[in-house]
Amino acid sequence: VYAAGAGASVVIESGEVKEGQLQTRASVPQTIVDPVTGKTLKLTWYDEFSGSTLNESKWKLENRMKSENGKVATTTDRKNIRVENGKVVMDLYQDGDKYYSHRTLTTMDRMSFKYGYLEIYAKVPFSQGSWPSFWLQSARQHRKDVSVMTEVDVFEVYQSGNVEGTLHKWKLGTDDKPTHECWNDPGKYDFTEKWENPSDEYHLWGFGWTKEMIYLTVDGEVFATFDITKDGDFCEGKGKGTLTGMDCFQDPLFINFTNWVGTNFRDSNWAPNENTVFPKTFSVAWVRLYQDETGTLYNDFK
């Protein structure tokens, strides 16, 4: 189990990261009040991205996304991902007819957790041609059924003006290749009348998790709530419909960040075209996990 270690944070004022000013761990809130349950939660794991490189005891870069047409390459180059000025910066570039993104920034085989409130402070590219996402998957070390993997998308950007948060179930075969079995109706957050410059603003994004529910927040406001008891099952009658039951959403989760190429999944004009401006920049200033006595933190480092 991890103990919260020493670290530093950038000073954040008026929705922007103020470069060059660091603060000690004492400045990171040690407790918060859960926006749904009202419980006081304690800081158990965090990263303020205060150095010049990723903390390899907390993060790794792993290929968690697949290019269907071979036109997206993932790299570990600083041009695509780097730590600077108190934040991790993930850039999506175009070079000719090919796109270059970073390998997924993940805590897979580093850290996973069960229950609590996970919050990030991030600047997200809400512009045509981009597909940034903050998502979680169940850790293979802790799955009750090793053939079932869950996914929670805190946010994905597919279209103009809003984001979606969704639960997924995946079936793993003997070759560990996943089959997408089903997903629930997404929760949506519309910011068209709330934010003036979405792609240039930092906002808080949260993932809350108890035994009974998962809830997603932005700037402290709950925009989606999902029942993860047996009554909340969404697989039957949707997708392939074979993975019924919700016990899989009690499996510990690890964190992923990706900045992928936009698709026409929701919006027929969202994929890149000759007018798309690159790079697309996704920046995360910090990641903080808070838990109470019901929560568990796992050290999955190998």
Side-chain angles (χ1 to χ4, degrees), residues 30-301:
Q30 300 299 292
T31 62
I32 63 168
V33 175
D34 188 288
V36 170
T37 68
K39 288 185 175 181
T40 297
L41 309 178
K42 295 181 180 180
L43 182 70
T44 58
W45 187 93
Y46 70 107
D47 198 341
E48 307 292 303
F49 302 111
S50 58
S52 58
T53 60
L54 289 170
N55 184 334
E56 293 185 1
S57 70
K58 296 183 176 182
W59 304 97
K60 65 188 292 191
L61 295 173
E62 184 82 9
N63 278 321
R64 306 298 296 160
M65 299 283 284
K66 180 181 178 182
S67 177
E68 297 296 335
N69 56 16
K71 289 190 175 183
V72 186
T74 58
T75 84
T76 59
D77 296 345
R78 282 186 58 81
K79 186 174 182 180
N80 290 111
I81 184 165
R82 59 197 176 276
V83 178
E84 62 182 15
N85 301 320
K87 53 189 179 290
V88 60
V89 180
M90 297 162 279
D91 278 336
L92 171 67
Y93 282 88
Q94 182 181 20
D95 186 358
D97 63 351
K98 198 158 188 175
Y99 303 95
Y100 293 86
S101 181
H102 63 97
R103 290 184 182 176
T104 300
L105 177 62
T106 180
T107 65
M108 183 180 71
D109 296 333
R110 297 294 186 265
M111 180 277 283
S112 59
F113 69 98
K114 184 173 181 176
Y115 307 146
Y117 187 70
L118 176 69
E119 192 168 58
I120 71 169
Y121 195 58
K123 183 170 68 173
V124 182
F126 294 104
S127 59
Q128 179 265 344
S130 64
W131 178 11
S133 54
F134 167 30
W135 51 298
L136 304 101
Q137 292 172 290
S138 56
R140 62 176 179 268
Q141 299 94 325
H142 310 296
R143 295 174 191 146
K144 294 186 184 73
D145 183 344
V146 296
S147 69
V148 179
M149 181 181 70
T150 58
E151 175 185 337
V152 180
D153 298 318
V154 181
F155 68 73
E156 294 184 280
V157 178
Y158 294 120
Q159 56 198 314
S160 177
N162 64 70
V163 299
E164 292 185 355
T166 319
L167 306 185
H168 301 257
K169 297 179 188 178
W170 295 80
K171 185 73 173 178
L172 302 178
T174 55
D175 55 3
D176 206 37
K177 289 184 178 179
T179 300
H180 199 186
E181 292 288 309
C182 53
W183 58 96
N184 69 341
D185 296 328
K188 294 188 178 184
Y189 182 78
D190 190 322
F191 52 79
T192 50
E193 297 182 1
K194 301 178 182 181
W195 302 346
E196 293 183 5
N197 302 293
S199 296
D200 297 320
E201 300 173 8
Y202 278 82
H203 291 275
L204 293 167
W205 299 91
F207 162 77
W209 185 17
T210 70
K211 186 176 181 180
E212 292 78 26
M213 61 180 166
I214 284 172
Y215 40 100
L216 311 178
T217 69
V218 57
D219 294 333
E221 175 188 346
V222 177
F223 73 90
T225 302
F226 304 114
D227 181 355
I228 58 171
T229 69
K230 62 181 181 179
D231 293 332
D233 196 2
F234 55 84
C235 203
E236 189 171 359
K238 294 184 179 181
K240 296 182 183 299
T242 62
L243 293 181
T244 56
M246 295 294 280
D247 285 348
C248 51
F249 286 99
Q250 306 298 330
D251 292 340
L253 299 166
F254 62 85
I255 306 166
N256 297 298
F257 293 107
T258 48
N259 192 13
W260 205 246
V261 179
T263 73
N264 293 332
F265 173 60
R266 293 289 195 210
D267 184 335
S268 60
N269 297 310
W270 199 251
N273 58 38
E274 63 277 7
N275 299 316
T276 306
V277 178
F278 289 93
K280 303 294 185 183
T281 301
F282 182 8
S283 300
V284 179
W286 47 255
V287 182
R288 298 170 184 168
L289 174 64
Y290 294 85
Q291 296 175 296
D292 63 12
E293 70 282 354
T294 65
T296 307
L297 188 66
Y298 298 89
N299 184 350
D300 298 331
F301 188 83

